[in-house]
Amino acid sequence: MEINSDFECGNIIVNELSDTEALLSIRPDTGANYYQWFYFRVTGTPDTTRTFRITNAAGASYEKAWNGYRVLASYNGNDWLRIPTEYDGSNLTFKHSATESTTSYAFFVPYFAAQRETLLHDCESSPLVTRRSIGKSYQGKSIDMVVIGDENRDTKKIWVITRQHAGESMAEWATEGMLRRFIDANDSVSQALLSKATIYVVPNINPDGSALGNLRANAAGVDLNRAWAEPTDKCPEI
């Protein structure tokens, strides 16, 4: 089998590899020691039971999160299933007999820049939404925000800032669901809220870290969620 993580959101280090077993470790965040997020692709003959063992699981940022955890797998990148997984206090181990020649495995379902751009484009089609860039990331990526409602109204202002921690892709999925409800003119609940408030949403404030496959940090190794009090030039996102 072959293992690859050299793509957006990818993260894994291959230590030993045979056709049926892989000893792996999770790469720490860029410029930092945090780690837990992983995402990699395996290519090999289908219907072969393979064992994957992440050997540095005990040192992960949230070691207790492995208890009861099950790895996610996908053949097409859209539909994901859970794989039985064991944690013995040192290694995170899962076995899988893939029915296709290519299988992706991940800590959680990834969320990609192309999906974000599609979402922002869809939001722009609504007369309720204004989109603008509010700055640049450490690597120069645009940080986009959408404003839902009339900013000039004397209403409540609600801010939603998503994904300060790069590896929390589930938060960006949730934010997409929320935004799609806000731009649905037939959604009575969201429209009732918009009659009383203006909503400011930043779908991803850490685009560098998420693209790099980090857990917490941006491209400079900064945990943005801990930088609000004293931001530096290493965290222009804040």
Side-chain angles (χ1 to χ4, degrees), residues 9-23:
C9 305
N11 181 329
I12 205 68
I13 296 171
V14 180
N15 298 314
E16 295 183 26
L17 187 67
S18 69
D19 190 50
T20 57
E21 185 168 1
L23 298 183

Side-chain angles (χ1 to χ4, degrees), residues 76-157:
N76 58 17
N78 295 314
D79 304 299
W80 293 79
L81 58 108
R82 292 281 187 179
I83 302 297
T85 305
E86 296 182 357
Y87 178 59
D88 62 6
S90 297
N91 302 306
L92 188 75
T93 304
F94 61 98
K95 297 181 180 181
H96 187 217
S97 180
T99 60
E100 303 288 343
S101 59
T102 300
T103 311
S104 295
Y105 300 98
F107 175 66
F108 196 78
V109 179
Y111 194 102
F112 302 108
Q115 294 172 261
R116 188 178 314 122
E117 182 58 34
T118 296
L119 172 65
L120 291 168
H121 179 76
D122 291 347
C123 287
E124 284 183 290
S125 66
S126 169
L128 298 172
V129 173
T130 301
R131 173 185 176 180
R132 60 176 178 261
S133 175
I134 59 173
K136 299 288 186 180
S137 69
Y138 186 79
Q139 292 185 328
K141 295 184 180 69
S142 176
I143 298 175
D144 293 302
M145 177 180 72
V146 293
V147 183
I148 311 165
D150 185 353
E151 294 183 87
N152 297 317
R153 293 184 305 160
D154 183 19
T155 59
K156 298 285 187 180
K157 311 299 182 185

Side-chain angles (χ1 to χ4, degrees), residues 4 8 14 43-44 56 80 92 97 111 113 143 172 191 194 206-207 234:
N4 181 29
E8 183 184 0
V14 180
T43 304
N56 65 341
W80 293 79
L92 188 75
S97 180
Y111 194 102
I143 298 175
E172 195 162 5
Q191 299 310 303
L194 287 174
N206 190 358
K234 289 187 175 182

Side-chain angles (χ1 to χ4, degrees), residues 43-82:
T43 304
T45 304
D47 300 316
T48 301
T49 300
R50 295 184 171 90
T51 300
F52 303 90
R53 184 171 289 111
I54 296 176
T55 60
N56 65 341
S61 296
Y62 304 99
E63 185 259 347
K64 291 182 179 179
W66 300 131
N67 296 320
Y69 172 75
R70 292 183 297 161
V71 170
L72 281 148
S74 177
Y75 299 120
N76 58 17
N78 295 314
D79 304 299
W80 293 79
L81 58 108
R82 292 281 187 179

